[in-house]
Amino acid sequence: MDEPGEIGRRVQRMRVERGLTQKQLAHPSYTSAYVSTLESGKVRPSETALRFLAGRLGTSYEELATGRPAHLATELRLALTDAQRTLATGAAEEAAVRYRGLLAEAEELGLVPEQAQARLGLGECALESGELPAAIRHFEEAERLLADEPLPRRARPLRGRAVAHLLAGELRYACYLLESAIDELGASGLADPDALVLLHAAVIGPYMDMGAHARAAHSAELALALAPQVSDPALVAGMHRQVARTFLAEGRMADADVSLAKAQAIYSHLQLSTDLAHCHWMRGYVLAQNGELGSAERELRTARDMLSARRAGLYTAQVEVELADVLRRLGRHEEAAGLLAALLELGNSHGAVHAGGAHRLLGLMAEERGETESAEEHYVQALALLERSGATGDLADLCRLLGDLLRRAGRVEAAMDAYRTGLGHRAAPGTTTLGPAPPAGFRPARVSGSRWDADPAE
């Protein structure tokens, strides 16, 4: 709302333009003296008074309070919805251009909710294109703009920020953000079903990657129970997609496939191409876990082609880790190695968990060729990437692989160090790399006594 003087001058101008006296404008709820005081800027009108006067003047409360015609905000909101559709069905770059223009308009008009919506859209665009630091900045700014709003209104940018940290390999921080929001919703009594399903579905991924399968299953159970109260079909589909991971961890392949089929049907109906690609990705994963490698390859290639067409570089590279593992298991090592080479360029700040998975696969292929030294180097690099991420299942798997490699090379003490480092971790189907689940039982201690006793930051 503008300052009283500006509002008063606006009321006076509109009253004169409409040929009304102060008494006519005030009747029947207020006095002409009140209107006179308001027009002189000596009183700040209440929202109730402004809404009454707006009705008498034939304008909107927003235009009277701020000087902005109501249709501008409506047109901006419609344009933001259109940009969201562009992001869902077209390229992220095109959507980002539209969102940036709309953000500038919203800032010029001083429309805070619309600024937050534009920032949220820009964050989603940056996520899809793999620009994780930019995504985090946009989501943080959206949260700042909505700081005075109740938590359910802030759930989407908060979830977006958590996903960006997850993709950057910061699993524990992603869990912290999501768990804190869920706890705050419970403590405040704001049991908003949409917000709770959004947050519980989002926390399943980091829980699974950290090996916290019981927590993931609990969040999945809560999300499924709340799903009938959720009005957004895309949100329900996303929940089914994440719940499938918990079914995989429990060996319930048929249930996982049913959840993915539900998600895929919704995404197809809504024409949400990125989300649909994620379903193909996950179904390929399910098929690979079930040993159906030919079908898994087809699903994963479909996912990769769809994401590549949208120039979603980070997600495309992550699918290629899963595809490379399938190709390796089919004996097509050269093709698998070619896919993994590009992924390694992502490094620690963009997709550390999947870059670690790429090194793991290259290590396995080096072992199969009898190149022990090369295999050890890849396993060590994978450990350096994953130690900071907290990807428990993958760390346990790597410690087992490295220990076995060192033991076969006759380096028994170093092998024992590797096994002890893996002790306390648990790996099972549903982590971020494919292949059979390693034996249960492994928390990392500090590894010493071998050439892989290097600080990951070095």
Side-chain angles (χ1 to χ4, degrees):
M1 184 184 295
D2 286 340
E3 291 301 312
E6 293 181 42
I7 295 173
R9 287 189 292 275
R10 193 174 299 126
V11 170
Q12 184 181 46
R13 175 178 54 78
M14 289 186 177
R15 177 179 63 78
V16 172
E17 286 174 354
R18 287 154 179 76
L20 298 173
T21 66
Q22 290 179 338
K23 183 177 180 179
Q24 288 171 326
L25 177 59
H27 183 78
S29 300
Y30 296 90
T31 66
S32 57
Y34 175 75
V35 172
S36 176
T37 305
L38 188 155
E39 290 183 351
S40 65
K42 295 177 180 177
V43 64
R44 176 176 288 277
S46 67
E47 181 179 336
T48 302
L50 274 189
R51 288 192 181 281
F52 169 79
L53 295 173
R56 296 285 292 157
L57 292 166
T59 187
S60 67
Y61 163 77
E62 183 178 58
E63 184 168 2
L64 203 56
T66 66
R68 293 188 300 267
H71 71 86
L72 292 180
T74 302
E75 289 171 2
L76 186 57
R77 284 191 284 271
L78 289 172
L80 284 165
T81 300
D82 192 45
Q84 186 177 9
R85 171 58 56 181
T86 300
L87 176 58
T89 59
E93 292 176 5
E94 180 185 351
V97 170
R98 301 197 66 181
Y99 274 123
R100 280 193 289 270
L102 295 171
L103 175 61
E105 285 185 42
E107 288 175 339
E108 184 178 347
L109 293 171
L111 298 172
V112 174
E114 286 71 23
Q115 291 177 47
Q117 190 175 344
R119 288 284 186 181
L120 179 59
L122 285 168
E124 295 291 349
C125 291
L127 270 187
E128 185 157 322
S129 60
E131 302 169 68
L132 301 183
I136 291 169
R137 287 195 300 274
H138 286 305
F139 290 131
E140 286 177 339
E141 183 60 19
E143 287 185 76
R144 186 192 67 77
L145 290 164
L146 297 172
D148 295 331
E149 298 287 337
L151 180 56
R153 289 271 291 122
R154 293 181 276 118
R156 287 190 179 275
L158 191 149
R159 175 258 182 197
R161 185 156 61 99
V163 170
H165 284 290
L166 170 63
L167 291 173
E170 299 164 4
L171 276 64
R172 287 189 177 89
Y173 187 60
C175 282
Y176 163 77
L177 289 173
L178 295 164
E179 286 179 338
S180 298
I182 291 169
D183 289 345
E184 185 181 339
L185 274 173
S188 64
L190 299 172
D192 182 276
D194 284 35
L196 283 169
V197 168
L198 181 75
L199 297 170
H200 276 297
V203 83
I204 288 172
Y207 276 157
M208 294 299 299
D209 290 346
M210 291 175 65
H213 295 167
R215 287 192 177 193
H218 180 61
S219 279
E221 182 182 344
L222 292 173
L224 284 167
L226 288 166
Q229 302 175 49
V230 174
S231 57
D232 182 356
L235 182 53
V236 174
M239 180 271 299
H240 281 302
R241 199 177 83 208
Q242 292 300 326
V243 165
R245 294 193 65 179
T246 67
F247 289 146
L248 277 175
E250 297 167 2
R252 296 162 60 183
M253 300 296 181
D255 288 334
D257 198 52
V258 167
S259 280
L260 288 171
K262 290 177 180 177
Q264 195 163 353
I266 295 172
Y267 289 142
S268 296
H269 177 70
L270 297 175
Q271 297 182 322
L272 302 179
S273 53
T274 296
D275 295 301
L276 186 58
H278 279 264
C279 280
H280 284 291
W281 176 359
M282 196 69 180
R283 294 196 88 170
Y285 183 91
V286 173
L287 290 163
Q289 287 287 320
N290 212 31
E292 301 173 51
L293 300 182
S295 297
E297 181 187 355
R298 285 193 293 274
E299 289 285 351
L300 291 170
R301 285 193 182 279
T302 298
R304 186 190 64 168
D305 292 346
M306 291 174 71
L307 291 167
S308 179
R310 292 177 56 81
R311 299 189 288 279
L314 180 58
Y315 289 133
T316 301
Q318 290 174 344
V319 172
E320 287 176 344
V321 175
E322 313 292 5
L323 178 57
D325 201 4
V326 168
L327 294 173
R328 180 189 68 83
R329 291 163 68 186
L330 287 168
R332 292 152 62 185
H333 288 198
E334 187 174 340
E335 192 176 351
L339 283 176
L340 295 170
L343 181 71
L344 295 183
E345 297 177 5
L346 293 175
N348 190 30
S349 60
H350 291 77
V353 173
H354 288 78
H359 278 295
R360 169 191 177 274
L361 294 178
L362 289 168
L364 284 171
M365 288 188 285
E367 271 202 81
E368 290 163 359
R369 295 192 302 269
E371 299 171 6
T372 302
E373 186 173 338
S374 176
E376 182 179 349
E377 288 175 356
H378 282 298
Y379 291 152
V380 170
Q381 289 184 71
L383 280 168
L385 285 163
L386 296 177
E387 274 186 326
R388 282 164 282 180
S389 73
T392 309
D394 289 342
L395 282 167
D397 178 32
L398 279 165
C399 289
R400 178 184 62 83
L401 290 171
L402 183 57
D404 289 349
L405 178 71
L406 296 169
R407 179 174 52 80
R408 285 193 295 269
R411 296 161 60 187
V412 178
E413 287 189 20
M416 292 298 293
D417 280 342
Y419 292 138
R420 279 191 289 268
T421 297
L423 199 63
H425 287 302
R426 179 179 300 276
T431 50
T432 55
T433 55
L434 296 177
F442 288 97
R443 209 164 177 142
R446 190 69 183 134
V447 178
S448 59
S450 75
R451 52 186 273 249
W452 52 289
D453 183 22
D455 189 282
E458 293 178 354

